[in-house]
Amino acid sequence: MRKTRVFGQLMGVQGMVIGDVTMQPDPDGDGEVLVVSVRPDARSAGRCAQCRRSCPGYDAGVGTRRWRTVDTGTTRTFLEAAAPRVQCPDHGVLVAHVPWARPGAKCTYLLEDTCAWLAKNMALTAVTVFLRLSWRTVAAIVARVVQDLTGKTDQLDGLTRIGIDEISYRKGHRYLTCVVDHDTGRLVWAHEGRNKDTLTLFFDALGPTRSALLTHVSADGAEWIHAVVREKAPQAAICLDPFHVVMWATKALDKVRRRTLEHAGDRDRNARWAVVKNPDDLTADQRQSLATIRTTNTALYRAYLLKEQLRAVFATQGRRGEQLLGGWIAWARRSRLPEFVALARTIKRFQQLIWNTLHKHGVSNARSEATNTHIRALTKRAYGYHSPEALIAMAMLTRGGLELELPGRK
Ligand SMILES: [Zn+2]
């Protein structure tokens, strides 16, 4: 087998002709890199990179270009080719299509698709080390691959029960609005911003026919979400997500703890976890701490019981859940804990929406909550997303249910 055929096989690209294969000095450091000279074959040459139409040539562009591809063994490897420009009647003057890379990309399909698959399946730090790419390059690759994949299927088809959520992605009140399919747990849509205009963009993309098929829309207590849903999908029951409601109770509990344990120091830290965590997750020390609170701080213990009882409402569901909720509101109102008296007012105001949640038959929130937690975790990672688009692309890649295969695998 000739060397060029071997490399043709290795690169796995249709429509590419291999020329010279040489070792050359590494432009970014010591050592050498492998450079494979390539060109598009007669059928793929001279086409517009956007629409693939055969177009008249324009000029030679900026000369020779290199595209990073996957390593050959341990050696960094590049494809090198002329990059002439063509003139497309629709897209104007632009660099001609090459069969080995996406338009504008500095890496090949092979490297980009491998990178995206790894980013979906392993820690990003490991991906950057393994592929010798910066975090910023990985983020740009993920954005391109996701755009390619989401263009192929409509993520918004078949939605009936969705959750709408706002997620803070950076300090200084920068938010994303995310839409999750409750039935599959998939993230189906996300956009920067959190207001009526942002959410209206989602319903515009969904369109009136599919909006009319929505039966349940869950959200937190944000009125702007409710208002848009009432307008665009009036038939859908608006539900309050249980984890938001339980979070309100946890916050109220935290206020009671700070108010009643102001000077207790270390004991306070123990107490915090003892009352905030779910009973099943408590350590032996925390159980002891809880037992102490029961006798020494009856206010905090009462607050703890109220939080746990509210969790029980959602665990119970249905008609019985409704009754428990009524009992909870009455109990919280006369709890003599101002934090829970206030929460009782809020919950009373949203009672109908919570009833809707309690009757959302057979839908578990587990998967959509997991997606939510995952996106929140993404926003907390230290890499620093340079743009909301990069974060959205990563979230779509890992939680959007996109079909992504390793290149060359069947
Ligand atoms: Zn074109």
Side-chain angles (χ1 to χ4, degrees), residues 73-108:
T74 58
T75 304
R76 291 203 305 145
T77 301
F78 294 84
L79 302 188
E80 190 175 72
R85 296 196 293 175
V86 293
Q87 184 157 28
C88 172
D90 291 335
H91 300 101
V93 173
L94 74 180
V95 175
H97 158 74
V98 293
W100 54 84
R102 293 183 171 85
K106 290 186 174 129
C107 301
T108 62

Side-chain angles (χ1 to χ4, degrees), residues 245-261 268 270-279 282 290 293 297-311 328 335 337-343:
V245 181
V246 173
M247 199 155 70
W248 297 342
T250 306
K251 279 185 181 157
L253 169 67
D254 223 29
K255 283 186 196 155
V256 176
R257 179 189 56 83
R258 262 178 276 144
R259 178 164 62 77
T260 57
L261 277 175
D268 177 59
N270 245 333
R272 169 156 210 273
W273 291 112
V275 294
V276 169
K277 279 168 88 172
N278 298 337
L282 292 179
L290 197 57
I293 290 164
N297 188 340
T298 53
L300 182 57
Y301 194 69
R302 217 156 58 241
Y304 166 75
L305 292 179
L306 278 161
K307 186 258 301 181
E308 282 304 310
Q309 180 65 13
L310 195 54
R311 280 199 330 127
W328 188 92
S335 65
L337 302 166
E339 298 83 356
F340 278 87
V341 174
L343 181 58

Side-chain angles (χ1 to χ4, degrees), residues 122-142:
M122 64 194 253
L124 283 172
T125 328
V127 179
T128 60
V129 173
F130 180 67
L131 295 178
R132 294 186 267 203
L133 293 171
S134 68
W135 150 245
R136 197 188 269 259
T137 305
V138 172
I141 288 174
V142 165

